[in-house]
Amino acid sequence: MIPDLDRRDRLSLTWRDPPGWWGFLTTVDHKRIAARYIVTALLLLFLAGLLALDMRWQLSWAENDRMGPQLYNESFSLHGSTMLFLVSVPAMEAMALWLVPLMLGQRNMAFPRLGAFSYWLYLGGVLTLWVAHALDVTPDLGWFEYPPLSGPNYAPGHRADIWAQMITFTEVAALCASVNVAATILKMRPPGMTLARMPVFLWAMLVASLMTILSMPAIMLVTSMLIADRLVSTHFFAPAANGDVLLFQHLFWFFGHPEVYIIFIPATGFVSSIVETFARRRLFGHHVLVLAILAIGCLAFGLWVHHMFAVGLPRLGNDFYTAASMAIAVPAGLQIFCWIATMATGRTWLATPMLWVLGFVATFVLGGLSGVMTASAALDLQLTDSYFVVAHFHYVLVGGAMFPLFGAFCYWYPKATGRMMSERWGRVAFALIVGGFNLGFAPMHLLGLMGMPRRVYTYPAGMGWEGLNQIATLGSAIAVAGGLVFVANALLSYWRGAPAGADPWGASTLEWAGESPSPPWNLAYTPVVDSLTPLWDSPVLRVMDGVAIERREVIVTSVVDAAPLYRQKSAAPSIWPVVAALAVTAMFLGSIFTPWAIAAGALPIAAALTGWFWPQRGRATTGPLRVRS
Amino acid sequence: MSVVAPRDVQVVGDLSGLPASASGVRHLVWWGNIGFMLIEGTGFALAAAAYLYLMTQQAPAWPPPGARPPDLSWGLVFTLGLLLSELPNLWVRRRALAKDARGVRVGVAAMAVLGLLLLIPRGYELAHLNTRWDSDAYGSVVWMLMVLHTSHVVTDWGDTAVQAAWLFTHEIGDDQFADVEDNANYWTFVVLTWLPIGAIVYGLARLW
Amino acid sequence: MPTAGLLLAGCAGPQSALDPGGDQAHALFSLFGLMLWVSGAIYAVVLAGLGWALWRAWRRRGTDARRDATLVGGVDARLDRTLPVVAGAIVLGLTVLITGSFFADRALFATRAAPALEVRVTGHQWWWRVQYRDRVSDGWIETANELHLPQGVTVRLVLNSADVIHSFWVPNVAGKLDMVPGRTNRLDVTARRPGWYRGQCAEFCGTQHAHMAFAVKVEPPAAFRAWLAAQAAPAAPAEGRGAAAFQATCAACHAIRGAGAAGRAGPDLTHVAARRTLAAGALTMTRGNLQGWIAQPKAIKPGTSMPAIPLTPADADAVATYLATLR
Ligand code: HEA
Ligand code: HEA
Ligand code: CUA
Ligand SMILES: [Cu+2]
């Protein structure tokens, strides 16, 4: 039996957005929101990539004066802040927002309006940083702004405030998205999808969300302290008044280290999905992969000091932090082993998404190994703040997170658009990006060992750094050219690609059960799951009926064994998320200039939230006010 | 194995018999609430850690020479009031679980009044911290903890007041009982977080 | 690790961790060699595994890979048994690395008694104040942007900052250590190979972080003592037009011992012409560069806190001439 047309029409009526601009502003469709997130993040990836090329050009010759120090400092600050706060983390959240309900066979996220709010607030952060850049108030102190350099005495003007508030924006957005994702995964799994039958992808997103919840408060706290030091003369980081500059670093890295795994863990989710599909066999070591993700998630909170080996902390702790940091190699290595074993024992088919996985393994492992080197408290004294570290983190960020993201993009593209991307151009883009990237960043290891510090806008001739820098520039340019091919392929395929059908890759998980692209209501019925690979186990999809069609409703199940509990009303389109995001934006921006903005801005926020949460029900007919109605 | 059409389905059950609402841990919103409490709880814990860090790292004495610890009296009044407010709060929660419309109306209104009353001793507490946020790092971190907690008292009070207004003017459904329950849980969170924060602000400045 | 040394022999240089000229740098270089070998082996194994997987995929290319979905059998049981082996191998590799790191760490901090020589280095935006403990007067002998180290002697560097965080790094001699406002860090270094090296600030410290370098000279103890004695001596009494102009315009910020200038905002210039570089490594020390710097400090080092002083050309010339005599 296939879902009949009448049912589809009624569902469409219930779940459609209002037409036009109003629909654009009010939508709570997780797919539309996620698409916005991804497009915004890709655009920023491109812009920040251009900044990177500009920096590479500057560094290609000793004493190059194409860029002055101010412009260069702004460039790497904007590049790093954008890449981490506005590209990587949001892109991973977007993938969760888009895929989690699909993979659960649900019609929407747990808190649809919160999802919309996350995006609008994220957009507020994007605009804060980039409009400020257009107005020449660009932050210029790197992606982490250590005081006292960022404090009131050494950073006059508002550059540092813009940075700190941009963080607040994106972190509130990320926290909202994480609560949403975690609640959805925990409470809205389809009947039968017990924790033991949950795909690795969902585990990855769950753990990344929980890590976000437990780590991001640290950076919100510390940037607020920085703003307070700058705005209302507190002395958290002022040694002259008993403050301590290292407090900032501790709190920053308590967030900053988990942050990189918040980026990496979702990527391992993508890789797991892709490997399973293209090896055409169930993932080898499912439980090992899940435990590895959990282990990385837990360990990540005990390592922040490895970013501070050179600040002169008591040496007693060093051995502990070294061992704890290196210990991540155990779960990471086991993950790599499980994926390779799956490929080797399956019937692996090298379509583009799978190529990206190969590129990921070959590149990420190098980055992981250089990470292990920097994890040595002793050796790090030579490596930290040099180009060796720049090489390490690009290998893990680009190789370990961007390559899987590009793979995931190619893999789920047919689901999102209903069309296939060109395989041929996909291969070209792959070769250019992976080849160019490795050509560009491998020499940086050597540059760092040869003494080149990071964040220098120029260097003298005769240091032996010029040739290696030129190779690095060449490689980066090739990679960015590959990026353009990649984007062109995605754009052209949107109109010209071969129709994909529901499940072009013959995959195992529920997001492929429905049509592509997914209609606003996703699946016509609630699927029932009894294995890790539901689509492989039987040609028909076992489902349950009974979730409302005439009104927006989702099914809520129990946390461990996903037993159906009740039917939950799901929010309809609403303007309040945008309004609330605007009110919050006004407050955040105002607070750059005066602390009173916090008091004044609280009122519109309260009004917006009241509008948001004001339940739509009839006036009282019972109780004390009866006479009035 | 490429599949062009969506999967055929086989209906094996029906969910329409399930209830349309729930309360407590079964309820979806309860989990969202827990998520936000976890975020704020982490924030509190880290702020407390910052206090301990500054206390042990830098200062020659704690509080630094010249500053007196915060006066105890208003702190005690606030703490006592806060603890006592937990009794009606728990009662409201029980009324919500029992789906007693009259009970939650009265209870939530009473909690709104209580919240407002508690802001009075809180105001006096702030006036008797015996330090300013801009005098030194000790003052900064004490004020940070107090402002952090006060902002929670204020927001939850606002929430309660709006909820009371709504409850008195509208028909109350199951979802609203769940909302009242969540709001009561949140107040419990505000009460519980004060205990360590208060102990730090008032205790450590005396004991260290 | 001699082979690793050979491999990287092309990377010698005045500022290279791969060309150690001191005990600490040497310990770290050996540790790096160990890491490189272990990591190289691991990477080879991973690539071999990947190659093996691809080879199997290629071998099966004839079969319709897109037909049967699940393929699980006795293979998984066998793979399951290899899991502990893999985990064990990783742990073994890590044990080697952690142990190596542990011993290197001990070696870095092995100095027992109080070292013979104490040198205070203070980071400023964007230059280095260098002070040697004067055993005779128990005061400090001050210079800037140049560090001399006696060969084979362990020197204790006392690191502070006057403004923001900087990081002291001479890769050929030792790893880096930050200079943190409000804290004092101590770094023991034992230089072995005589010669000139270069150090550079490694922590981003604002506009001119890139031009915060210094010259390091490792020399036999006797030569070192002679140098220090020369540094301790005051400059010749000031006379002439240059000295007068200096006294009028520059002495507020710069000290010239013996000539009555005692400013503290900028580097001590008592023996400035004896240094190898100018303005924290931005220029080499020549009379021409001195004059250029005085005329246009912000053109050479945009953002530097030394202002451009409006001197008449004749005065500027005289000041430069005067400074060039301060050897
Ligand atoms: C996606 C992001 C990501 C990931 C996954 C990682 C992974 C790791 N990182 Fe990295 N890191 C960053 C992003 C990331 N990092 C960033 C952005 C910075 C710089 C911030 C800044 O200063 O700007 C940084 C900086 C950084 C530092 C500080 C350097 C410094 O400033 O001096 C350290 C130090 O310990 C470190 C260590 C590690 C380790 C041990 C891992 C491990 O997780 C790696 C584990 C993986 C492997 C080891 C490979 C696979 C394993 C095997 C094949 C098994 C066999 C292996 C062995 C036996 C060794 N990282
Ligand atoms: C995910 C994060 C990320 C990514 C993808 C990149 C990508 C690149 N980075 Fe980035 N980088 C950082 C994060 C990242 N970086 C961070 C955190 C810092 C530290 C900042 C600081 O010190 O504060 C840094 C610093 C940094 C420096 C050091 C600056 C300094 O210390 O002085 C350099 C120098 O070469 C550099 C270069 C590059 C280059 C050439 C690329 C790329 O160009 C590599 C190749 C390109 C790709 C793999 C992408 C291809 C895809 C596209 C181009 C898509 C196009 C899209 C559209 C058209 C819509 N980066
Ligand atoms: Cu001083 Cu960088
Ligand atoms: Cu880290």
Side-chain angles (χ1 to χ4, degrees):
Chain A
M1 182 183 129
I2 47 173
D4 57 286
L5 279 179
D6 175 50
R7 185 182 182 91
R8 298 178 36 120
D9 288 347
R10 281 153 64 205
L11 277 167
S12 297
L13 205 63
T14 307
W15 285 88
R16 66 162 188 206
D17 282 323
W21 273 100
W22 188 249
F24 181 83
L25 292 175
T26 58
T27 184
V28 292
D29 183 339
H30 69 102
K31 298 176 289 298
R32 280 185 90 177
I33 296 168
R36 268 168 216 181
Y37 251 121
I38 290 176
V39 169
T40 316
L42 274 184
L43 213 67
L44 287 165
L45 173 67
F46 179 63
L47 290 178
L50 292 186
L51 284 172
L53 269 191
D54 208 13
M55 291 193 287
R56 290 298 342 148
W57 185 1
Q58 162 72 10
L59 291 178
S60 300
W61 291 273
E63 308 283 9
N64 193 355
D65 56 5
R66 212 182 70 72
M67 270 185 174
Q70 182 61 29
L71 183 57
Y72 186 87
N73 295 347
E74 289 175 15
S75 299
F76 73 71
S77 306
L78 205 55
H79 168 77
S81 305
T82 300
M83 286 295 194
L84 286 184
F85 296 115
L86 304 179
V87 175
S88 317
V89 175
M92 299 302 171
E93 280 158 14
M95 295 301 279
L97 224 50
W98 184 55
L99 279 166
V100 163
L102 289 174
M103 219 178 259
L104 295 176
Q106 287 278 7
R107 302 219 159 121
N108 209 340
M109 297 289 294
F111 309 114
R113 294 180 184 181
L114 195 61
F117 178 71
S118 301
Y119 174 75
W120 295 117
L121 205 58
Y122 158 65
L123 188 64
V126 170
L127 293 178
T128 303
L129 187 64
W130 282 82
V131 172
H133 178 49
L135 301 176
D136 197 20
V137 240
T138 320
D140 54 357
L141 305 175
W143 82 274
F144 45 89
E145 302 203 327
Y146 286 170
L149 188 58
S150 57
N153 298 334
Y154 299 97
H158 287 300
R159 295 178 193 273
D161 302 303
I162 292 284
W163 175 81
Q165 279 313 34
M166 177 276 294
I167 303 264
T168 318
F169 271 103
T170 51
E171 307 307 80
V172 175
L175 285 167
C176 292
S178 301
V179 170
N180 209 349
V181 169
T184 310
I185 295 178
L186 287 175
K187 289 294 289 178
M188 288 173 60
R189 295 200 307 283
M193 190 189 277
T194 59
L195 285 183
R197 291 190 196 130
M198 201 162 99
V200 176
F201 177 91
L202 292 174
W203 277 107
M205 289 305 183
L206 177 64
V207 171
S209 302
L210 294 176
M211 289 177 74
T212 306
I213 289 173
L214 294 177
S215 67
M216 287 211 181
I219 191 170
M220 300 219 10
L221 190 73
V222 80
T223 51
S224 305
M225 288 158 90
L226 179 63
I227 292 188
D229 266 15
R230 297 174 55 86
L231 197 64
V232 295
S233 309
T234 54
H235 299 289
F236 292 109
F237 311 123
N242 298 333
D244 189 299
V245 297
L246 295 186
L247 174 59
F248 183 96
Q249 299 190 18
H250 281 295
L251 284 171
F252 184 89
W253 291 113
F254 184 82
F255 146 83
H257 182 78
E259 150 106 338
V260 305
Y261 295 104
I262 289 170
I263 295 169
F264 175 63
I265 286 180
T268 66
F270 306 155
V271 171
S272 300
S273 289
I274 295 173
V275 166
E276 178 164 272
T277 296
F278 292 95
R280 325 215 62 73
R281 59 151 291 177
R282 191 179 295 172
L283 273 177
F284 165 72
H286 171 84
H287 54 290
V288 179
L289 287 168
V290 171
L291 286 176
I293 288 175
L294 288 169
I296 293 177
C298 294
L299 278 173
F301 284 88
L303 319 179
W304 77 92
V305 172
H306 71 205
H307 295 271
M308 299 169 65
F309 282 147
V311 302
L313 294 177
R315 282 183 36 253
L316 281 178
N318 282 355
D319 296 318
F320 168 79
Y321 287 107
T322 295
S325 305
M326 291 194 184
I328 300 249
V330 178
L334 287 175
Q335 282 179 313
I336 300 275
F337 176 73
C338 288
W339 291 319
I340 292 185
T342 310
M343 290 182 225
T345 56
R347 310 203 154 190
T348 305
W349 161 33
L350 293 182
T352 340
M354 195 61 199
L355 287 181
W356 282 108
V357 169
L358 299 181
F360 154 77
V361 173
T363 312
F364 167 73
V365 171
L366 273 181
L369 293 169
S370 65
V372 167
M373 295 187 188
T374 56
S376 157
L379 189 55
D380 190 49
L381 298 179
Q382 287 287 27
L383 306 179
T384 187
D385 278 318
S386 77
Y387 261 79
F388 191 91
V389 170
V390 175
H392 159 66
F393 67 73
H394 282 89
Y395 262 84
V396 278
L397 280 169
V398 179
M402 290 295 126
F403 289 179
L405 185 69
F406 296 159
F409 189 93
C410 300
Y411 176 57
W412 279 294
Y413 184 90
K415 184 81 236 163
T417 63
R419 293 188 184 264
M420 305 299 290
M421 278 170 81
S422 151
E423 280 285 307
R424 182 192 306 144
W425 288 108
R427 288 207 187 102
V428 171
F430 166 80
L432 288 176
I433 295 180
V434 174
F437 172 80
N438 278 287
L439 178 66
F441 283 81
M444 292 192 196
H445 294 105
L446 208 50
L447 276 174
L449 291 163
M450 289 169 71
M452 180 160 168
R454 65 193 280 202
R455 296 172 165 183
V456 291
Y457 75 102
T458 188
Y459 52 87
M463 306 292 295
W465 299 341
E466 232 175 349
L468 290 170
N469 269 304
Q470 283 160 2
I471 300 177
T473 307
L474 178 69
S476 309
I478 296 176
V480 171
L484 293 177
V485 175
F486 186 95
V487 171
N489 185 10
L491 284 178
L492 286 181
S493 304
Y494 189 77
W495 292 285
R496 301 244 198 100
D503 182 11
W505 313 118
S508 64
T509 39
L510 288 175
E511 76 272 25
W512 302 98
E515 53 208 275
S516 315
S518 292
W521 34 269
N522 296 346
L523 282 184
Y525 296 90
T526 306
V528 180
V529 171
D530 47 20
S531 84
L532 273 168
T533 50
L535 296 197
W536 281 350
D537 296 339
S538 90
V540 295
L541 187 66
R542 287 161 14 94
V543 297
M544 290 198 187
D545 198 354
V547 174
I549 296 178
E550 314 301 343
R551 45 176 200 284
R552 293 180 175 230
E553 203 171 81
V554 293
I555 181 90
V556 175
T557 55
S558 61
V559 172
V560 177
D561 46 10
L565 292 178
Y566 74 105
R567 294 172 292 126
Q568 159 84 40
K569 207 168 73 197
S570 184
S574 159
I575 192 66
W576 290 112
V578 182
V579 175
L582 273 174
V584 173
T585 302
M587 194 238 308
F588 283 171
L589 288 184
S591 68
I592 290 177
F593 301 98
T594 158
W596 296 109
I598 295 171
L603 291 177
I605 295 179
L609 292 182
T610 305
W612 179 338
F613 289 107
W614 193 258
Q616 304 297 314
R617 286 181 70 91
R619 302 282 290 187
T621 52
T622 56
L625 294 185
R626 173 177 233 157
V627 272
R628 271 215 314 210
S629 59
Chain B
M1 259 232 356
S2 160
V3 181
V4 175
R7 293 291 168 128
D8 286 355
V9 297
Q10 176 197 355
V11 179
V12 298
D14 185 45
L15 298 165
S16 56
L18 288 177
S21 71
S23 58
V25 288
R26 297 161 69 90
H27 194 40
L28 187 56
V29 179
W30 189 91
W31 287 84
N33 222 16
I34 286 289
F36 282 100
M37 284 184 203
L38 213 56
I39 291 171
E40 284 148 35
T42 310
F44 276 121
L46 290 165
Y51 183 102
L52 298 177
Y53 179 86
L54 286 173
M55 181 172 88
T56 49
Q57 287 290 311
Q58 281 292 343
W62 196 261
R68 277 178 297 123
D71 295 346
L72 268 181
S73 45
W74 285 108
L76 282 177
V77 173
F78 178 83
T79 310
L80 217 63
L82 196 67
L83 287 176
L84 286 178
S85 76
E86 189 54 16
L87 295 175
N89 186 47
L90 288 176
W91 181 77
V92 178
R93 187 169 174 276
R94 288 240 301 277
R95 290 295 87 208
L97 288 174
K99 305 207 192 306
D100 166 4
R102 213 185 124 70
V104 299
R105 280 191 177 128
V106 176
V108 172
M111 285 307 294
V113 174
L114 269 180
L116 201 58
L117 286 179
L118 277 172
L119 288 177
I120 299 171
R122 174 45 60 88
Y124 278 104
E125 270 189 281
L126 294 180
H128 289 82
L129 287 176
N130 299 328
T131 180
R132 277 173 57 93
W133 60 89
D134 56 359
S135 54
D136 61 1
Y138 163 75
S140 308
V141 74
V142 165
W143 273 86
M144 174 172 78
L145 288 173
M146 293 303 289
V147 166
L148 213 54
H149 189 262
T150 308
S151 65
H152 281 72
V153 178
V154 171
T155 42
D156 200 39
W157 169 75
D159 213 17
T160 312
V162 171
Q163 200 169 58
W166 191 92
L167 289 172
F168 271 105
T169 50
H170 291 74
E171 190 72 69
I172 305 174
D174 288 345
D175 286 349
Q176 284 70 51
F177 286 121
D179 286 351
V180 171
E181 185 202 334
D182 285 333
N183 193 40
N185 287 342
Y186 196 80
W187 186 256
T188 306
F189 171 74
V190 172
V191 174
L192 288 182
T193 46
W194 172 245
L195 299 178
I197 301 281
I200 287 176
V201 168
Y202 288 95
L204 283 182
R206 292 191 155 70
L207 298 178
W208 185 254
Chain C
M1 291 289 145
T3 333
L6 267 184
L7 243 157
L8 301 164
C11 305
Q15 184 171 325
S16 174
L18 301 176
D19 184 19
D23 288 357
Q24 290 75 13
H26 213 278
L28 293 178
F29 181 66
S30 309
L31 177 59
F32 177 69
L34 173 73
M35 295 255 178
L36 199 62
W37 277 112
V38 175
S39 303
I42 291 169
Y43 193 60
V45 170
V46 172
L47 284 191
L50 212 52
W52 172 62
L54 289 180
W55 178 68
R56 287 180 57 115
W58 181 78
R59 221 182 33 174
R60 290 191 187 155
R61 74 199 180 286
T63 63
D64 183 3
R66 310 186 64 185
R67 174 81 7 94
D68 49 356
T70 40
L71 180 142
V72 190
V75 236
D76 276 25
R78 248 184 300 137
L79 281 174
D80 269 334
R81 265 176 273 131
T82 54
L83 269 171
V85 180
V86 174
I90 299 176
V91 171
L92 194 72
L94 288 180
T95 310
V96 173
L97 298 184
I98 293 173
T99 315
S101 175
F102 176 84
F103 282 115
D105 203 53
R106 296 305 108 134
L108 294 193
F109 298 94
T111 329
R112 290 121 311 236
L117 184 63
E118 196 178 75
V119 184
R120 201 155 73 182
V121 184
T122 309
H124 291 253
Q125 276 180 324
W126 293 276
W127 59 280
W128 312 79
R129 192 188 295 282
V130 181
Q131 294 160 304
Y132 285 81
R133 168 72 79 191
D134 184 354
R135 288 260 198 64
V136 187
S137 71
D138 206 34
W140 297 93
I141 303 165
E142 182 163 327
T143 175
N145 299 331
E146 190 162 308
L147 186 69
H148 285 236
L149 296 173
Q151 180 187 0
V153 177
T154 299
V155 178
R156 173 156 298 170
L157 300 167
V158 180
L159 306 177
N160 285 107
S161 165
D163 36 49
V164 303
I165 306 175
H166 304 272
S167 189
F168 179 94
W169 189 28
V170 190
N172 301 68
V173 175
K176 58 186 80 66
L177 193 58
D178 289 355
M179 310 168 112
V180 184
R183 291 175 179 249
T184 300
N185 280 335
R186 291 179 179 80
L187 180 68
D188 289 349
V189 301
T190 318
R192 292 283 171 195
R193 207 179 59 218
W196 282 100
Y197 301 101
R198 190 171 185 269
Q200 187 164 4
C201 175
E203 179 72 50
F204 182 69
C205 53
T207 319
Q208 279 299 344
H209 163 64
H211 283 133
M212 184 165 165
F214 57 103
V216 180
K217 171 133 206 213
V218 177
E219 54 198 352
F224 171 78
R225 277 193 299 274
W227 173 82
L228 191 59
Q231 291 294 314
E239 51 204 36
R241 179 173 190 161
F246 186 93
Q247 200 59 38
T249 41
C250 320
C253 295
H254 291 285
I256 298 183
R257 279 171 280 131
R264 302 280 301 158
D268 183 304
L269 300 180
T270 311
H271 300 287
V272 63
R275 293 182 203 151
R276 200 173 197 225
T277 65
L278 184 59
L283 299 167
T284 49
M285 179 64 70
T286 63
R287 192 194 161 290
N289 279 344
L290 264 173
Q291 187 158 358
W293 169 256
I294 297 164
Q296 291 276 322
K298 304 227 189 245
I300 289 158
K301 213 168 154 176
T304 177
S305 30
M306 163 142 163
I309 312 277
L311 293 172
T312 63
D315 275 345
D317 196 56
V319 169
T321 311
Y322 168 55
L323 288 185
T325 65
L326 296 174
R327 296 201 52 90

